[in-house]
Amino acid sequence: MKPAYLLGSAMWSTGIASQAKWRADDFDAAMQTPTCSSVKTRHLRYTSVVTRMALNVFEQVTTDKDVNLGTLGVVFASSFGEIQIAVKLLDSIDTDGAPSPASFMNSVHNTAPGHLSIACRNHGISTAIAAGSQTVSSALLEAMLLLQESCSTVALVLADEEFPEVFNDSFPSLAVCLLLQAKASSQSLCTLDGIRIAKEVVPVSLPHFAGNPIAPAASLLQAIASKKPGPHRLDLEQDEGWCVSLSFPE
Amino acid sequence: MGDLLPTSGPLAITGWSAVNALGTSRAAISESLYGGASGLRSCPLELPFTTFCGTVGDEMPPLPSKYQDYECRQARLALGIYQGVSSAVDTALKKWGNARVALILATSTGGIAETETALQVHRRKGHFPAHFQMERQHNFYAHCRFLKMTSGIGGPSFVISTACSSSTKVFASARRMIAADVVDAVLVGGIDSLCLTTLHGFHSLGILSDQRCKPFSGERKGLSIGEGGALLLLEREGESAVSLLGCAETSDAHHMSSPHPEGLGAILAMKQALEESGLSPQEIGHINAHGTGTLHNDASEARAVAEVFGRHVPVVSTKGYTGHMLGAAGATEAVFACMALEDQRIPKSLGADPVDEAIEMQVNQKQQERVLKTVASNSFGFGGSNACAVFGANS
């Protein structure tokens, strides 16, 4: 399989507005919902944190890049997707038997890529996947396959929001976007290659994001930021052991 | 789409299995499909409105005790369907090696039916049922992980969830994976189970019929929901009666729940699927339409089909038999496409009579036996997600 070239990356998490803020330990505990400007306010009204995070990181990474938003491929990935809306829908069914139609149409797993395609007037390939603890590796694989098949640029958007309170399982919301290209350019930040199983590679755990299924995406960002070459684990110790190799321009 | 590169050639479909409202075996499904018998019955769930559903009548097998954590309706359906294709998968695992076989499933409901029950218990008792686990029942990937462990498949595995286009998009992902030489075979499919969320949700949108759905009919009043699913084994090479020739995915970029009125994204998907298959529109012998039975979806799809194929290709919606199986619809209709090619028979579009006069394509109102070389199958979903797959008979 051919390598992919990273043109840019972005992240958002509860209290953390960007990668720069994360690296600077500049947290704002009051910040619970990300901002997004590409989707009209009336369309945003019934969307969840997971969709807004996805839109936010996509906007962050594409704002100053010379890419055609109308043709790029979009791979959205999330383990639990629209879990907050799903539980609210069930609450409303149980209480008055009449869920909001706007909430229902924003409850599908591909809500975020759907809004993105509308905002970008993109008629190309857009997909949404889930793979439990293998979500990050599976999504990266699908993005790299799309680059090899038909797309010159792919936005890989990973996001999982915190669980509804009823589940009593706490982790911060987190979203990461990687803007990947099929061909290297002078602006390429990193090469991702050789996605494979290598259980011997030790995963890097980030305690701050522990429990969030896409936490390995944050550790990938960290490895890229620190320009650490070599294989990087995309899952946790108990998982299958999927890795990608990173290399950096001189 | 960017600069289009060639993908793989035809992929052999070396096994398939389906479970739906028509039955749990090929013989039972075939008897109802060609007998023109609907599987839609009065919905068994307690609802404050009337609707018909395509529920799976036969008991699904319980999970082996070592997989009890995954026990739920969704996983039972997965196991029930898998049993029909397991011998073909075993053969592929021996032929290619476990790591060279992938698993790509689709769902729109996942195991949410289990969560519905668990939340009801939580409201009454203040705690979840002892067996309930979000990760192993609710999660979209749970039934995929269970099937991976059950089958011994060792390659990549994931779930695609793009609402009602999900299990046609699995064919595109499988083609990419085989073309890139990541694997040699992929078990693809889609599985959805009946749940309150989708029934109430579609009712809230005003598009759930209170009768059996009547796709393309002038009397259509909306969709009927179905459950079940299908699995198909795709291999780089192998003996088979039918092959996957091509598959394309596009976006409407128009609205979250309504199709583009002129069928723009659908037209692009059908044209690109033909291009990838190396076929002209005139070479398609039959279309299995998305055909949900809602006013706007059927009108939009009919415009798109007429634009690409003209008015001479027999078009069938099989949702009058099974109901709309949502994330499992594409794979189920791929199996119907395979059956049509294997049996050289096009079923009638059940419920279409009288066909809407505004529908300007050839809705197939009478079963036909004829030489059939190719079938196209459409799936469209929320978020403006479109997919079209083309299947061909092997001579």
Side-chain angles (χ1 to χ4, degrees), chain B residues 1-146:
Chain B
M1 295 282 289
D3 36 335
L4 198 67
L5 296 172
T7 55
S8 62
L11 296 176
I13 299 176
T14 54
W16 59 258
S17 171
V19 163
N20 54 54
L22 299 184
T24 56
S25 66
R26 179 180 180 138
I29 292 169
S30 186
E31 185 181 338
S32 293
L33 185 68
Y34 298 130
S38 176
L40 299 177
R41 305 280 183 272
S42 185
C43 183
L45 301 186
E46 194 176 319
L47 297 168
F49 48 83
T50 301
T51 192
F52 283 72
C53 291
T55 48
V56 174
D58 295 358
E59 193 79 13
M60 288 290 101
L63 273 54
S65 56
K66 64 178 174 178
Y67 298 128
Q68 277 307 298
D69 286 354
Y70 294 87
E71 180 66 65
C72 65
R73 176 78 174 159
Q74 183 83 353
R76 283 194 179 205
L77 285 167
L79 181 59
I81 300 162
Y82 178 70
Q83 287 176 343
V85 76
S86 61
S87 63
V89 173
D90 288 344
T91 303
L93 291 170
K94 286 187 189 115
K95 180 178 178 183
W96 303 111
N98 293 39
R100 294 288 296 180
V101 180
L103 177 63
I104 307 177
L105 299 184
T107 186
S108 73
T109 64
I112 198 165
E114 200 70 12
T115 312
E116 290 171 353
T117 307
L119 280 168
Q120 285 169 355
V121 171
H122 191 277
R123 280 188 207 100
R124 283 202 315 272
K125 299 184 175 177
H127 61 80
F128 287 113
H131 78 280
F132 179 67
Q133 293 185 48
M134 282 289 285
E135 187 70 38
R136 297 189 171 184
Q137 291 144 19
H138 172 98
N139 193 291
F140 283 133
Y141 182 66
H143 67 293
C144 186
R145 187 171 181 191
F146 159 66

Side-chain angles (χ1 to χ4, degrees), chain B residues 28-270:
Chain B
I29 292 169
S30 186
E31 185 181 338
S32 293
L33 185 68
Y34 298 130
S38 176
L40 299 177
R41 305 280 183 272
S42 185
C43 183
L45 301 186
E46 194 176 319
L47 297 168
F49 48 83
T50 301
T51 192
F52 283 72
C53 291
T55 48
V56 174
D58 295 358
E59 193 79 13
M60 288 290 101
L63 273 54
S65 56
K66 64 178 174 178
Y67 298 128
Q68 277 307 298
D69 286 354
Y70 294 87
E71 180 66 65
C72 65
R73 176 78 174 159
Q74 183 83 353
R76 283 194 179 205
L77 285 167
L79 181 59
I81 300 162
Y82 178 70
Q83 287 176 343
V85 76
S86 61
S87 63
V89 173
D90 288 344
T91 303
L93 291 170
K94 286 187 189 115
K95 180 178 178 183
W96 303 111
N98 293 39
R100 294 288 296 180
V101 180
L103 177 63
I104 307 177
L105 299 184
T107 186
S108 73
T109 64
I112 198 165
E114 200 70 12
T115 312
E116 290 171 353
T117 307
L119 280 168
Q120 285 169 355
V121 171
H122 191 277
R123 280 188 207 100
R124 283 202 315 272
K125 299 184 175 177
H127 61 80
F128 287 113
H131 78 280
F132 179 67
Q133 293 185 48
M134 282 289 285
E135 187 70 38
R136 297 189 171 184
Q137 291 144 19
H138 172 98
N139 193 291
F140 283 133
Y141 182 66
H143 67 293
C144 186
R145 187 171 181 191
F146 159 66
L147 265 197
K148 188 172 191 179
M149 292 186 292
T150 299
S151 64
I153 288 173
S157 61
F158 58 84
V159 162
I160 294 178
S161 186
T162 54
C164 310
S165 65
S166 306
S167 63
T168 296
K169 288 169 78 80
V170 296
F171 292 100
S173 290
R175 275 175 66 82
R176 281 193 278 279
M177 213 178 269
I178 291 174
D181 200 24
V182 173
V183 293
D184 300 298
V186 186
L187 182 65
V188 300
I191 299 157
D192 261 1
S193 43
L194 195 65
C195 62
L196 293 170
T197 306
T198 49
L199 288 161
H200 279 273
F202 284 112
H203 183 260
S204 76
L205 287 170
I207 56 172
L208 193 67
S209 178
D210 59 1
Q211 308 167 352
R212 289 182 180 87
C213 67
K214 295 169 71 71
F216 303 125
S217 167
E219 298 172 353
R220 67 189 186 276
K221 294 178 72 178
L223 53 85
S224 303
I225 299 292
E227 68 165 357
L231 294 169
L232 302 95
L233 181 62
L234 306 177
E235 296 191 61
R236 184 183 298 283
E237 57 186 37
E239 284 193 21
S240 69
V242 179
S243 292
L244 171 70
L245 303 182
C247 185
E249 310 159 87
T250 64
S251 305
D252 272 359
H254 170 69
H255 189 270
M256 277 305 292
S257 62
S258 298
H260 189 283
E262 302 304 319
L264 177 63
I267 290 169
L268 281 174
M270 287 184 269

Side-chain angles (χ1 to χ4, degrees), chain A residues 101-233:
Chain A
S103 291
F104 179 63
M105 72 184 185
N106 281 299
S107 71
V108 292
H109 197 63
N110 62 318
T111 297
H115 282 292
L116 274 177
S117 70
I118 295 167
C120 298
R121 296 178 185 170
N122 185 328
H123 297 284
I125 296 176
S126 164
T127 195
I129 71 174
S133 57
Q134 306 298 149
T135 296
V136 176
S137 58
S138 301
L140 180 58
L141 175 63
E142 181 73 334
M144 291 172 73
L145 289 171
L146 270 177
L147 288 169
Q148 182 153 338
E149 181 198 56
S150 60
C151 298
S152 55
T153 307
V154 170
L156 169 58
V157 183
L158 303 124
D160 260 302
E161 63 186 356
E162 64 179 343
F163 271 8
E165 274 183 29
V166 68
F167 295 114
N168 198 24
D169 190 357
S170 171
F171 56 77
S173 298
L174 172 65
V176 166
C177 183
L178 302 177
L179 193 60
L180 301 166
Q181 295 193 302
K183 292 178 181 169
S185 75
S186 58
Q187 294 173 309
S188 300
L189 304 171
C190 169
T191 305
L192 296 93
D193 199 3
I195 191 161
R196 68 192 192 285
I197 290 177
K199 195 104 174 129
E200 67 280 8
V201 177
V202 179
V204 177
S205 297
L206 300 175
H208 182 82
F209 303 114
N212 190 306
I214 65 138
S219 78
L220 177 64
L221 286 187
Q222 197 176 57
I224 291 168
S226 60
K227 297 194 175 182
K228 187 183 169 198
H232 182 85
R233 270 289 283 269

